[in-house]
Amino acid sequence: MRKQWAWSSMMMLLLMFFLVSEIATTRSSDYACKLPHHSYPFCDASHPTLTRARSLVSLLTLPEKIQLLSDNASSIPRLGIPAYEWWSESLHGIAPNGPGVSFNGTIPSATGFPQVILSAASFNRSLWFRTAAAIAREARAMFNVGQAGLTFWAPNINLFRDPRWGRGQETPGEDPMLSSAYSVEYVRGLQGLSGIQEAVGDDDDDDDDALMVSACCKHFTAYDLDKWKQFARYNFNAVVSQQDMEDSYQPPFRSCIQQGKASCLMCSYNEVNGVPACASEELLGLARDKWGFKGYITSDCDAVATVYEYQNYTKSSEDAVADVLKAGLDTDCGTFMLRHTKSAIEQGKVKEEDIDRALLNLFSVQLRLGLFDGDPVRGRFGKLGPKDVCTPEHKTLALEAARQGIVLLKNDKKFLPLNRDIGASLAVIGPMATTTKLGGDYSGIPCSLTSIYEGLREFAERISFALGCHDVSCESDDGFGEAVHTAKQADFVVIVVGLDGTQETEDHDRVSLLLPGKQMDLVSSVADASKNPVILVLIGGGPLDVSFAKENKKIASILWVGYPGEAGGKALAEIIFGEFNPVGRLPMTWYPEAFTNVPMNDMNMRADPSRGYPGRTYRFYTGSRVYGFGHGLSYSHFSYNFLSAPSEISLSRITKDGFRKRLLHQAGKEVNGVDYIPINELQNCNSFSFSVRISVTNLGDLDGGHVVMLFSKGPKVVDGSPETQLVGFSSLHTVSNKSTDTSILVHPCEHLSFADEEGKRILPMGPHTLSVGDVEHIVSIQMY
């Protein structure tokens, strides 16, 4: 028995040795600070990051420095520094869009989470954080086996300003408050200490400077047009008012930097008010000097070349290099700076200290990532490997994210959920029903592939399928006959239509908000032929004008599933058959087709009736809607009650010295007659923050999650006042026929303010109406 035990133990040790060796052989043996180069000061982890970075820069020759100003940074053999690829992607899971990621190795796939626009529809901060932390863990695991870098260019936090934008799917939606919240949670999850603690199993680790991986806020700024008519992202000049810049375009980036502590910022292709974003000292200086950005700034890919070659902003290549470096850019995604920096120095347009500054920022981030701490296998994350990718926990999280994001847009007469116990037959119709490409832009190779049809098949004993259209463009109705015949034979019908990468993607904006080709005719034909009202499932990131379906009584239910990721088919089936109570809310306005008459290049958020301009996003749009921002139904019905909130707030104690006297002198009237107060005239704004306690009662028969959305409508004291704006939100679980309480913290200087025409934040005096659903509470802000 002892011999058998000894033999088994020996075999186990050999197996473990083999597995460890197998992993080790796939890991890159090319790392910095190994013998004989380990004695350099920059390899000494006991020194501060900045000290180490300065030491490293001081050891480089000018030609070596220039070779590091690219996403594909060259090696420095004499110092033992390997090459490094800065460009890796992780928008909603590790993706091979950038050269830093490869699935050709021991890790063939990674968890495919829902596209960002659907994750945003959950309005669930903890879900966003946990998703990013899972992505970070998989990223480190892939780095350890040589299949990824550690600098990931996500999140995309541009506002979904225009419904036609092909990349709107990549963003958290149209609201700056929502986008800000998402950016903070994503960056903290990807970079953050909690992920590090989980990975290394040390709750006492307090190295706030350390990064698990690096996150990048992009695209800075006012980038939301790829290709429309004669305008392309490479030559588009975004003309943005100071008012819109301050309270719409910039807040997500400010939050990403100040609260999220992002270690990377990407400047965009477009010009902003006549200056290329990557060459704008005003923009990049704002991030570093005013917002306190600590990290590196990269261009979008070939955006430095664009400054000269497409935008003709400079007279020479050397001038373009000089302009972006002086503006504060640190690295070029591309080769333009590699090719032209030397001649820019020779012509006296660039100084070596400009390059040193850039390298200091780059090396500081690499040092925070541990890239100069020796063998990563022996480091704090060395134990992560293939076993940490596509784990059951991550797959479950992807399923949960899809469940919480899917939005029930319509449900006449409580048609859904279906009862799976009655054994009814189900027909699934549509060109997108069997596709397993459900990730949208910047998708990797998912752990598992499940179509919507396959997800439904798990719940229906008798199920049939017909394409209807040959593809998403649906240019022919040849398949309609088969689709109608299939629908007639079934008790219930699910029609799956919408958008894919042929209709909306990077470098491709839509021209219409209608369903592509003859999809609308397919839906109507099948609905007319079916025994019972049908269920319409919409795939895609951008808003769709489905007014025909909204009004059609033969279409009982409509669900928007965005791009739901690898578990989307299962999540949708669970909702349709009542195993999950839908909770998602739209993070963007769904406009009618007539909105396509609005020029996409018009960046103004505010409406202008004098020229028939309806404005943009729910905060300023004055036209009709198909479905509004925040719309989303449940199988339950909810009522709300304000439990506590102040009725009045006085600002007298926090106004700066002399402000009251100036007001009296300038206005010649009582202070309480003032319409608004500039935020910069208030000191310690947080001192009059308040909490709003809300009771939510689930009046239905099903338990389920619910999103509480608190809006504010303030006095319209200046031109451009918002119609309404989101103040806060809370995702909570509710129990049937019971009440659940939640609190939302309101910072008036942030949440109740907006920008005046000069781009200065103001806080209106007087009544501010807070609303949740159809319940309102008035908070009056005064200065006595």
Side-chain angles (χ1 to χ4, degrees), residues 90 153 331 438 520 587 760:
S90 63
W153 291 352
T331 188
L438 295 173
M520 183 165 61
K760 296 178 180 178

Side-chain angles (χ1 to χ4, degrees), residues 313-329:
Y313 182 73
T314 60
K315 294 181 180 179
S316 69
S317 300
E318 291 75 15
D319 287 333
V321 172
D323 281 3
V324 298
L325 282 172
K326 290 174 182 175
L329 188 77

Side-chain angles (χ1 to χ4, degrees), residues 519-533:
Q519 283 191 24
M520 183 165 61
D521 295 335
L522 172 66
V523 172
S524 298
S525 298
V526 171
D528 288 342
S530 299
K531 298 176 184 176
N532 291 302

Side-chain angles (χ1 to χ4, degrees), residues 125 175-182 251-252 618 726-729 750-751:
R125 288 180 173 87
D175 180 66
M177 189 269 173
L178 172 61
S179 296
S180 295
Y182 179 87
Y618 80 97
L726 183 65
V727 169
F729 55 89
E750 177 185 355
H751 299 139

